[in-house]
Amino acid sequence: MTIAIVNARLFEEAERRRREIEASRQKIEELNRQLERKVELQSIELEEVKDELEKNRKQLQLKYDYGRIVGASQRMRDVFRVLDKVTDSDVPVLITGESGTGKDLVARTIHYNGSRSARPFLSENCAAINPTLLESELFGHARGAFTGAHKDKKGLFEQASSGTLFLD
C-alpha cells in the first residue's frame, strides 16, 4: 500500500505542476499577445512619425544650393523656395530690391543652379551706360552705323545668347 500512496502523491504533485505550467503557459501567451499589440501600435506610430518627418524634411529641403546667400529666417527660406521654382523655368525674371540687397547674387544663383549654367552670365549696370549708347550696348551695331563705329560689335543680348543677361 505504501507504493500506492507514494504513487498517488507523486501523481498529485505532477498534476499540480502540470496545472502550474499550463497556467504559466497561458499567462505567457497572453503577455505575448499584449506585446504583439504594443509592437503593432508602435510600428503604426513609428510610420506616422516617419511620414511627418519626411513631410517636414521636404518642406525644409531646397532643390538647389543657396550657400552663397546669407540668411536662414523663414522669409529667406520662402525666397529660396521661390528661387527653386524660378530656376526650373525658362521665363524672364524680375528681381527687385534696394541697392546692395543682393540682386546680382540672386541672379547668379538662378543662373548657375539652372539649365543655363554652362552658358554665359552677363551682368550690366545700366546706370553706368551713357543713354545714347544704351541701344548699341544692348543690341550691338554694324561697322559705320554711327560715328566711332569702326567695327561690328555684338550686343549684350547676342553675347548672352541662351545664357543669362542681368540688367541692373
Side-chain angles (χ1 to χ4, degrees), residues 14-27:
E15 188 60 28
R16 185 184 61 75
R17 285 190 179 174
R18 188 191 64 73
R19 285 190 302 268
E20 287 176 358
I21 290 171
E22 181 62 25
S24 294
R25 186 185 63 75
Q26 288 176 355
K27 184 162 183 124

Side-chain angles (χ1 to χ4, degrees), residues 112-144:
Y112 289 113
N113 281 328
S115 62
R116 299 169 184 250
S117 62
R119 298 186 192 103
F121 176 88
L122 299 176
S123 179
E124 187 64 45
N125 181 356
C126 295
I129 300 174
N130 184 325
T132 58
L133 298 176
L134 183 62
E135 181 179 350
S136 177
E137 283 295 314
L138 294 177
F139 301 103
H141 60 262
R143 180 175 177 248

Side-chain angles (χ1 to χ4, degrees), residues 46-60:
L46 180 61
E47 283 302 315
E48 289 172 354
V49 169
K50 281 181 183 178
D51 290 344
E52 182 71 21
L53 181 61
E54 182 65 18
K55 178 183 165 190
N56 289 340
R57 187 184 65 78
K58 283 182 179 180
Q59 286 178 342
L60 293 175

